[in-house]
Amino acid sequence: MPLVVIVGLGWGDEGKGKIVDCMSEGASVVARFSGGANAGHTVHAGDMKLVLHQLPTGLLREGVTGIIGAGCVIDPVSLREEALLLEKLGVAAWQRLQVSPHAHLVHPCYRLEERADEESRGAAAIGTTLRGIGPAYVRKYGRRGLRVEDALRSRDFAEKSMAILSGFGSEAASSLRADVERFVEDSCAVASKAADISSMILRALAEGRLVLAEGAQGTLLDPDAGTYPYVTSGSCVSGAACSSLGIGPSRIDEVVGVVKAYATRVGSGPFPTELEGPLAEHIRRRGNEYGATTGRPRRCGWFDGPLSAYASRTNGCHWLAITLLDVLGGIDILKLSNGFDGSAPAFPLLGEGLSSLKPVYEDMQGWPEEIGGIRSWEELPEAARNYVIRVEALSGAPVRLVSTGPDRSEVIWRRS
Ligand code: IMP
């Protein structure tokens, strides 16, 4: 059985949670390899709607071992709360969780630091989730971070954590003291989950079991591949699965790119195909395009062919899963961007230069029907099939999975 890496091709919120949940049936291990509590992976199962922020989505399936990789930054307090919530629903999440000792921990003061940093940027603020993600990665790469393994030496760890608090001045020291004490306690609990995750994954593969590596955010939010500086701070591309999980690139069998049938982004930064007005509102309402972590309304726009192709090749996608196709139902004419006006740039412009590019659109016929209940490719309206085929051509990788609604049962596997 293979090792499959699943990544988002846009600015996050592509519906990776649903695709990972769907593919994790029969998996032995599901490992999150990036991000932290900034992510919000939503799964609808029957009447239940669950939003996972830090736990690997695959944990919802009985018998799956969940792993959090070294490339993640862990907020131990919210991780324990999330696990507790699942325990109450009868999912033995904490019991089946293992963590890399090398993952970094998000100290409560990092949120303060992030808020101040965002304020200092004024109109150029990134629009982060304010979960302390940026400061945690800054400390990691500045070689001043707190790692899970540090919490194994609890006394030293408590001293270090309190020293960080003292650095934020006397007001913070009194208002955040209880939070830091809880942080220390929960970090120690997380440290009890530390394991040699690389060996675990390799063992599962040697036994012929299915292992999924679950990304967070999306390629266009990656600090190297994305729309810098309007990006997150953890790596979102398939290659990052290797360093985070301790597996070589030669062990990856398949890379799956999750692409939305249209485009969305939360926070600031260039968005060439962005829509405004009633059509954007229509898509936002039908797609429930509000942040799963922050509740912020997401910016909505047309499918962007050049950016999708760029993201697909950056990840080396073998195939794609297209999500939220049902949301486009009822729009007469759909537009897809297939290039940029003027001469092609010599290299992908993803920084401020992207804002100056004007997309070129082609029109496609929409479909009036609701497609949620449809379970086979052949039964989809012809216009919806044509749309998927066009997304596939513009992205440069075959679409094998079509998601037609929020529930885990609302998927169509395309065999041909
Ligand atoms: P941070 O990850 O909180 O530092 O935020 C940096 C940028 O990434 C902001 O524009 C956020 O809105 C965006 N972002 C972070 N996590 C997600 C996510 O899970 N989905 C969509 N956008 C995200």
Side-chain angles (χ1 to χ4, degrees):
M1 282 287 233
L3 169 59
V4 181
V5 181
I6 302 169
V7 288
L9 298 192
W11 284 285
D13 307 316
E14 299 91 353
K16 291 180 295 296
K18 154 134 188 211
I19 301 302
V20 173
D21 173 63
C22 174
M23 291 182 65
S24 53
E25 202 172 3
S28 160
V29 174
V30 178
R32 258 287 292 274
F33 66 84
S34 181
N38 49 351
H41 293 174
T42 310
V43 178
H44 293 250
D47 294 340
M48 213 165 56
K49 176 186 168 190
L50 288 168
V51 183
L52 299 184
H53 299 282
Q54 298 190 78
L55 289 169
T57 311
L59 265 177
L60 296 176
R61 301 275 183 184
E62 190 98 12
V64 168
T65 298
I67 283 179
I68 298 181
C72 299
V73 290
I74 300 175
D75 178 331
V77 177
S78 66
L79 178 66
R80 281 194 86 189
E81 278 170 2
E82 200 171 309
L84 201 65
L85 189 78
L86 288 192
E87 303 272 333
K88 283 192 187 140
L89 297 171
V91 180
W94 190 252
Q95 219 176 306
R96 291 192 270 115
L97 179 68
Q98 305 275 248
V99 173
S100 165
H102 307 143
H104 281 245
L105 292 159
V106 181
H107 188 284
C109 287
Y110 296 177
R111 290 187 186 208
L112 284 187
E113 189 174 318
E114 182 171 8
R115 192 173 289 278
D117 180 60
E118 279 285 85
E119 278 167 14
S120 74
R121 291 171 191 260
I126 308 295
T128 72
T129 60
L130 297 174
R131 295 294 188 276
I133 305 299
Y137 281 109
V138 165
R139 278 188 165 71
K140 169 176 174 167
Y141 291 108
R143 293 158 297 182
R144 291 180 288 112
L146 292 172
R147 307 210 294 180
V148 168
E149 69 173 344
D150 297 330
L152 291 169
R153 293 178 303 280
S154 54
R155 187 185 298 230
D156 277 2
F157 184 76
E159 279 171 12
K160 268 192 201 164
S161 303
M162 284 300 168
I164 292 176
L165 175 63
S166 312
F168 280 79
S170 55
E171 201 181 306
S174 61
S175 66
L176 287 180
R177 191 174 181 86
D179 290 350
V180 176
E181 282 167 2
R182 171 99 191 266
F183 164 78
V184 171
E185 188 188 323
D186 287 350
S187 296
C188 294
V190 170
S192 74
K193 295 273 144 194
D196 179 356
I197 59 162
S198 161
S199 297
M200 283 175 63
I201 292 174
L202 293 173
R203 208 174 312 122
L205 291 173
E207 286 168 4
R209 298 176 189 278
L210 173 64
V211 176
L212 302 183
E214 173 181 355
Q217 289 81 45
T219 306
L220 301 176
L221 285 176
D222 180 89
D224 294 311
T227 51
Y228 189 89
Y230 298 101
V231 292
T232 188
S233 304
S235 273
C236 313
V237 294
S238 58
C242 296
S243 50
S244 178
L245 303 177
I247 43 170
S250 58
R251 302 307 308 255
I252 296 176
D253 296 281
E254 265 182 17
V255 179
V256 178
V258 184
V259 64
K260 228 174 198 165
Y262 47 94
T264 59
R265 116 165 263 176
V266 211
S268 317
F271 185 174
T273 60
E274 183 166 14
L275 283 164
E276 273 164 21
L279 196 47
E281 194 43 48
H282 172 81
I283 294 175
R284 188 173 300 118
R285 199 162 5 91
R286 269 181 72 87
N288 191 25
E289 294 294 356
Y290 296 89
T293 300
T294 59
R296 290 179 288 177
R298 296 178 185 142
R299 300 157 66 191
C300 298
W302 295 121
F303 177 80
D304 192 319
L307 287 185
S308 185
Y310 162 77
S312 176
R313 77 168 149 95
T314 300
N315 289 290
C317 290
H318 292 87
W319 59 273
L320 309 182
I322 183 169
T323 55
L324 293 125
L325 186 65
D326 52 305
V327 172
L328 295 182
I331 302 176
D332 287 346
I333 298 293
L334 300 168
K335 288 184 182 292
L336 301 89
S337 136
N338 61 17
F340 293 112
D341 205 9
S343 56
F347 50 84
L349 284 176
L350 291 152
E352 291 297 345
L354 183 58
S355 319
S356 61
L357 297 182
K358 254 178 80 74
V360 174
Y361 291 107
E362 60 189 49
D363 289 352
M364 287 198 80
Q365 194 58 51
W367 55 94
E369 304 93 324
E370 292 295 346
I371 58 173
I374 296 176
R375 295 288 176 275
S376 79
W377 172 251
E378 291 73 24
E379 284 171 58
L380 276 176
E382 191 183 1
R385 274 183 278 141
N386 288 340
Y387 187 84
V388 173
I389 290 167
R390 192 64 192 132
V391 164
E392 174 174 87
L394 289 169
S395 305
V399 171
R400 281 215 201 135
L401 193 61
V402 181
S403 171
T404 56
D407 197 81
R408 48 161 65 143
S409 63
E410 291 175 301
V411 287
I412 296 172
W413 282 97
R414 202 172 147 212
R415 305 280 163 213
S416 53

